[in-house]
């Protein structure tokens, strides 16, 4: 289980066969029979004539498979994800980030007269990327990034105004600036990329001459950027926050004095930022994943299922014999049920950690999501990681309460 953005468990009630995972039920059976079998626990036997029996069932069949969603929404997530890494289980993962910039205003100076305009001079322009402590992969390896100017407006083609992990926009092949660095996600340092001076001076002159004075004029001239991962070898994917800016440096000269000034352009609309995340599965156990409406049985992947949220991989879990549980309602009720999911040893590490939680959804036979799995009171159910390890890591895994679902 890899790649920390959002991870998915997909469950459906069906009628098939196969036992792969452990499912634990807690049942209360109410009986009118006053006889008590040895070993059973009777609640309030000294005060009630009715015996309440608690029965544990741990042999419920499940069917597990890997599915691949066509697309996942990556806009409005408030995180720029850039980088790449090679995973022996999943394949080659790569993320590029697209975004539109804007400013609170587009004036370089506040004077009421334009007579001072000649005193303002362009110095430089830089992209300041502020790390948000997120990383996945080996940050001791050098990461290489390249920044390109978009030639297409940041406007989704879909009807829902969202961008997806497979969304992309056209851009100028010529790089405005590049950098190679070793990420330090836990530090407060920023990654600063110096951009082309010709590009910066042209933008400066547009602002200085008041040819750009509002958002529409700005985005017509500068539609946005894409930050591309250009590392030739496996490294890491790192996150940058929405405080990242395009910073224009310029100066005002007045007589013998010089005043240094800056103008920031930032991501004010998070819906106009998205990450394009790709996965090359060539040579892996999941290279032959079928279309999104089908599934790859764990029987074909060494009794394993795969979860990698950013690229759309999810684990589908079916309960083929769930129909038999309806007979329990005649004499009892399900108190709760736990689905326990255990990651395969040696498929996670410090560099590739397990996610803290899994999101759980209910779907149909064609893998269409019908909604989140909820508790009786309507709150969303999550698979929570128990990271407490023993000698053989047998305790590490996720527990998901599915009593309300059953």
């Amino acid at each position: 289980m890899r790649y920390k953005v959002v991870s998915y468990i997909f469950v459906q009630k069906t009628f098939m066969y196969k036992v792969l995972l452990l499912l634990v039920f807690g049942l209360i059976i109410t009986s009118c029979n006053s006889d008590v079998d040895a070993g059973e626990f009777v609640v309030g036997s000294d005060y009630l004539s009715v015996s309440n029996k608690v029965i544990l069932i741990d042999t419920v069949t499940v069917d597990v498979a890997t599915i691949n969603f066509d697309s996942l929404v990556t806009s409005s997530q408030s995180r720029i994800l850039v980088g790449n890494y090679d995973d022996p289980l999943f394949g080659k993962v790569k993320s590029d980030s697209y975004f539109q910039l804007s400013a609170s205003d587009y004036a370089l100076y506040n004077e009421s007269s334009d007579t001072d305009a000649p005193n303002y001079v362009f110095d430089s322009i830089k992209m300041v990327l502020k790390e948000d402590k997120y990383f996945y992969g080996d940050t001791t390896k050098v990461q290489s990034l390249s920044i390109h100017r978009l030639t297409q407006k940041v406007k989704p083609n879909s009807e829902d105004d969202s961008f997806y992990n497979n969304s992309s926009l056209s851009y100028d092949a010529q790089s405005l600036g590049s950098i190679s660095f070793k990420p330090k996600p836990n530090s407060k340092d920023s990654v600063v990329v110096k951009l082309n001076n010709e590009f910066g001076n042209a933008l400066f002159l547009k602002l200085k001459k008041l040819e750009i004075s509002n958002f529409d004029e700005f985005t017509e001239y500068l539609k946005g950027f894409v930050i591309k991962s250009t590392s030739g070898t496996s490294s890491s994917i790192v996150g940058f926050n929405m405080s990242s800016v395009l910073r224009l440096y310029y100066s005002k000269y007045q007589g013998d004095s010089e005043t240094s000034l800056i103008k920031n352009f930032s991501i004010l609309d998070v819906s106009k930022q998205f990450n394009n995340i790709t996965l090359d599965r060539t040579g892996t156990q999941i290279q032959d994943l079928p279309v999104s409406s089908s599934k790859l049985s764990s029987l074909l992947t060494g009794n394993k299922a795969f979860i990698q949220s950013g690229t759309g991989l999810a684990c589908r879990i079916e309960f083929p014999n769930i129909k038999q549980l309806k007979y329990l309602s005649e004499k009892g009720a399900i108190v709760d049920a736990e689905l326990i999911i255990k990651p395969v040893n040696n498929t996670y590490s410090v560099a590739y950690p397990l996610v803290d939680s899994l999101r759980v959804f209910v779907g149909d036979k064609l893998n269409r999501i019908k909604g989140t799995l909820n508790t009786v009171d309507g709150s969303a159910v999550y698979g929570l990681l128990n990271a407490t390890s023993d000698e053989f890591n047998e305790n590490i895994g996720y527990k998901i309460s599915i009593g309300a679902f059953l």
Side-chain angles (χ1 to χ4, degrees):
M1 298 178 186
R2 305 289 181 84
Y3 200 51
K4 187 176 181 181
V5 178
V6 179
S7 294
Y8 300 90
I9 294 292
F10 193 75
V11 294
Q12 183 195 9
K13 302 178 181 179
T14 58
F15 309 100
M16 298 178 65
Y17 65 92
K18 190 159 67 88
V19 177
L20 282 181
L21 301 179
L22 178 65
L23 194 62
V24 179
F25 290 90
L27 306 178
I28 292 183
I29 302 297
T30 312
S31 174
C32 293
N33 189 338
S34 61
D35 293 334
V36 178
D37 296 330
E40 293 180 336
F41 173 65
V42 182
V43 179
S45 58
D46 295 334
Y47 306 99
L48 300 175
S49 60
V50 178
S51 298
N52 295 323
K53 304 176 183 178
V54 179
I55 299 176
L56 184 69
I57 300 175
D58 62 358
T59 56
V60 176
T61 300
V62 296
D63 187 10
V64 182
T66 302
I67 61 175
N68 183 33
F69 290 111
D70 283 336
S71 55
L72 297 173
V73 174
T74 60
S75 56
S76 300
Q77 303 301 307
S78 298
R79 174 174 284 161
I80 297 170
L81 283 174
V82 186
N84 76 291
Y85 66 90
D86 296 348
D87 190 296
L89 295 176
F90 293 97
K92 300 178 184 291
V93 182
K94 182 174 182 287
S95 182
D96 300 329
S97 193
Y98 296 74
F99 51 89
Q100 178 190 84
L101 296 175
S102 57
S104 56
D105 66 79
Y106 298 90
L108 293 179
Y109 48 88
N110 295 321
E111 282 80 3
S112 58
S113 172
D114 294 338
T115 56
D116 282 342
N119 297 328
Y120 291 86
V121 179
F122 168 77
D123 292 330
S124 64
I125 189 166
K126 299 176 182 179
M127 188 72 75
V128 182
L129 302 171
K130 299 184 179 181
E131 297 186 71
D132 71 349
K133 297 186 178 182
Y134 174 84
F135 69 95
Y136 201 83
D138 189 351
T139 57
T140 65
K141 302 289 183 63
V142 174
Q143 176 71 261
S144 297
L145 306 178
S146 180
I147 299 177
H148 299 256
R149 185 175 182 174
L150 295 181
T151 57
Q152 180 181 354
K153 284 190 174 181
V154 185
K155 183 179 180 180
N157 294 322
S158 58
E159 297 179 356
D160 60 359
D161 295 328
S162 295
F163 291 95
Y164 296 82
N165 60 334
N166 56 1
S167 298
S168 63
L169 300 170
S170 59
Y171 60 89
D172 192 334
Q174 183 177 359
S175 173
L176 291 175
S178 60
I179 190 172
S180 294
F181 65 103
K182 289 185 178 180
K184 298 178 181 179
N186 292 320
S187 73
K188 295 182 179 180
D189 295 338
S190 298
V191 176
V192 180
V193 186
K194 189 178 187 304
L195 301 186
N196 181 277
N197 276 341
E198 184 178 346
F199 157 75
N201 189 52
L203 174 61
F204 173 79
L205 291 177
K206 287 280 186 181
L207 296 167
K208 181 179 178 179
K209 295 176 181 179
L210 304 182
E211 294 177 8
I212 294 177
S213 59
N214 56 53
F215 172 78
D216 291 336
E217 292 173 346
F218 178 75
T219 54
E220 185 64 34
Y221 177 74
L222 183 56
K223 296 174 174 60
F225 294 93
V226 57
I227 305 178
K228 298 186 66 64
S229 171
T230 57
S231 301
T233 58
S234 176
S235 53
S236 61
I237 288 180
V238 294
F240 301 99
N241 63 37
M242 295 296 102
S243 298
S244 301
V245 296
L246 174 69
R247 181 164 292 164
L248 178 66
Y249 296 84
Y250 62 106
S251 299
K252 178 185 178 182
Y253 292 90
Q254 192 75 37
D256 294 332
S257 66
E258 176 185 352
T259 304
S260 296
L261 302 167
I262 62 170
K263 185 70 177 177
N264 286 335
F265 304 90
S266 56
I267 305 173
L268 297 181
D269 184 354
V270 296
S271 70
K272 297 301 176 65
Q273 183 275 319
F274 68 94
N275 303 307
N276 172 268
I277 305 172
T278 59
L279 172 64
D280 180 0
R281 301 190 300 266
T282 304
T284 68
Q285 286 186 312
I286 53 175
Q287 66 175 353
D288 296 323
L289 266 175
V291 295
S292 60
S293 59
S294 188
K295 60 186 178 180
L296 180 64
S297 171
S298 59
L299 288 176
L300 303 176
T301 56
N303 289 330
K304 297 186 292 289
F306 297 79
I307 301 175
Q308 191 180 47
S309 59
T311 59
L313 295 182
C315 174
R316 176 187 173 99
I317 299 176
E318 302 176 13
F319 303 93
N321 300 321
I322 197 172
K323 191 175 182 180
Q324 297 178 8
L325 296 179
K326 72 177 184 179
Y327 299 110
L328 294 174
S329 62
E330 298 176 1
K331 293 187 177 181
I334 297 175
V335 175
D336 198 7
E338 277 191 341
L339 177 66
I340 301 174
I341 300 176
K342 294 190 176 182
V344 178
N345 284 338
N346 302 319
T347 62
Y348 53 92
S349 63
V350 175
Y352 300 100
L354 296 170
V355 294
D356 295 330
S357 61
L358 302 174
R359 295 188 66 183
V360 188
F361 296 88
V362 178
D364 63 14
K365 292 183 178 180
L366 297 179
N367 299 328
R368 293 173 299 196
I369 293 178
K370 297 303 181 180
T372 59
L373 180 64
N374 295 325
T375 61
V376 175
D377 61 8
S379 58
V381 171
Y382 289 85
L384 301 179
L385 175 65
N386 175 23
T388 304
S389 62
D390 56 11
E391 182 179 358
F392 302 103
N393 292 331
E394 292 181 352
N395 293 329
I396 295 179
Y398 299 87
K399 290 184 178 182
I400 304 171
S401 177
I402 58 172
F405 173 74
L406 297 175

